[in-house]
Amino acid sequence: MALNSPEARDLAHHLHSYTHLPSLERDGPLVLERGEGIYVHDTHGKRYLESVSGLWNVVVGFSEPRLVQAAHEALKQMPAYHTFFGRTALPPVVLAEKLVEIAPMEVSRVYFVNSGSEANDTTIKMLWMMAKGAGEPGRRKLISRSMAYHGTTVASCSLNGKPYIGAFGLPLPEVRYVEAPHYWRNAHPGESEDAYSERLASELESLIEAEGPETFAGFFAEPVMGAGGAVPPPAGYFPKIQAVLNRHGIPLVADEVVTGLGRTGNLWGAETYAFTPDILVTSKALTSGYYPMAAVMLSPEMDRRLHRAAEEIEEFPHGFTTGGSPAAAAVALETIALITEPGGLLDNVRAVGPTLEAALRRFEDHPLVGEVRHVGLLGALEIVADKAGKRPFAPEHAIGERIVEMAYTRGLITRPIGDSVIVAPPFIITHEQIEEMTQTLGDVLDELADAATREGMGPEVLAASAE
Ligand SMILES: *Cc1c(COP(=O)(O)O)cnc(C)c1O
């Protein structure tokens, strides 16, 4: 790493998010300079295929002139404004109308913030305020799921079903977790998907009845678990969960930050998995990452409850200075147009989704692949050291870090999460580029399999160390 190179300067003074710090010290950062379609170029001119759309979000690719133009026009017209004190610029008004029109459920009002985390935090405050306003201040508890990801602010982070939140002394005491609906990993032998979903729904109901329905404010779920490893739900899961929640008057919050606006092959995960959220949170694809923005969408009943709760103090005492930014809203409107117009990106997701699925299914015979998961333009290969026993590699082998490095060498940016390699390419990807991406991924997994054999990382070693 050359002295004063962007990489050296980054290492010196820039703190990274969710980054394995020993690997960063050893290998240095990847500094990117420009983008072109599904590819990005680093400061040395090396080109990479971005197989995960940045962080699932850059769905239009890295060089969409229409979004640049939309931002430019908005910044010229009205560069910045807020939504406090009954004031607003025009683009958030138009965007709210648009989201009401395309929502998967009846929506009467939309609230804008800057990020998915803020949207989930906002939703929690709304739920608590609604409960209090309805004379049920005891409805404080929030249900999430193991492996869930809902963000990084204090309350959103508390919903993450991951051990690292303990580093912050979280979760908040109000949070309860139910099991992640991962059929391949968690179902009993011989249990059907439907029976597994039924069991999870009755476990949820037992929790609610044991602690008292009158203590619960809401249930949060990603239609497809994203940072939990790209895990689609088993058959029947959401309708069964929804029936339990409805019986006990507990709102269902769909965190569609990953699934929203096309990723699953429909505009919304709620459509793909046949349920009706009370509140829907959308962010990542909303602006394709070109501008920060997220939205909380409220059903008529949620909107009524919030307004009733606000009567006493005559306001919703919450807001972010840059929430509802006119430039962000303009970029969102253009992104939605790109996704929904005839021949647009949603049509492409539907056209190339089967190609991705076929390409991923070819890995089912690979010695390192335990499970292949797929929906729309989202997929995962679950990496195992022992295919039959579904056993992962031991953590000290740092399989994820090795996969990233091997992929970099071949010009591929990939994202291992836990033991899964995720693919979530931009919606503009072509059939040929899907072949290129999965071919490279295959080369990486073959190299890893060779290394595992050579270095004795395989099942024999694990079996031996277990004795
Ligand atoms: C990324 C993500 C969030 C958090 O969004 P930020 O914009 O990073 O705050 C919340 N929920 C899900 C499902 C996500 O994938």
Side-chain angles (χ1 to χ4, degrees), residues 115-117 120 149-151 222 255 257-258 283-284:
S115 68
S117 305
N120 284 320
Y149 186 79
H150 295 290
E222 305 151 83
D255 180 347
V257 172
V258 162
S283 182
K284 291 186 164 114

Side-chain angles (χ1 to χ4, degrees), residues 55-56 114-120 149-153 156 222 224 226-227 255-259 281 283-284 293-294:
L55 278 179
W56 326 84
N114 301 290
S115 68
S117 305
E118 288 176 6
N120 284 320
Y149 186 79
H150 295 290
T152 54
T153 47
S156 297
E222 305 151 83
V224 177
D255 180 347
E256 295 238 20
V257 172
V258 162
T259 50
V281 169
S283 182
K284 291 186 164 114
M293 178 169 251

Side-chain angles (χ1 to χ4, degrees), residues 51-97:
S51 72
V52 281
S53 308
L55 278 179
W56 326 84
N57 55 347
V58 191
V59 298
V60 304
F62 293 85
S63 52
E64 177 48 61
R66 282 171 59 181
L67 295 195
V68 178
Q69 184 66 20
H72 184 78
E73 293 300 326
L75 287 167
K76 267 197 308 196
Q77 177 75 28
M78 184 69 190
Y81 215 70
H82 60 81
T83 68
F84 289 48
F85 324 128
R87 300 171 198 157
T88 186
L90 186 57
V93 180
V94 184
L95 179 59
E97 284 174 345

Side-chain angles (χ1 to χ4, degrees), residues 9-22:
R9 287 160 56 200
D10 177 84
L11 264 189
H13 296 301
H14 184 195
L15 178 62
H16 284 260
S17 312
Y18 288 101
T19 297
H20 187 244
L21 295 174

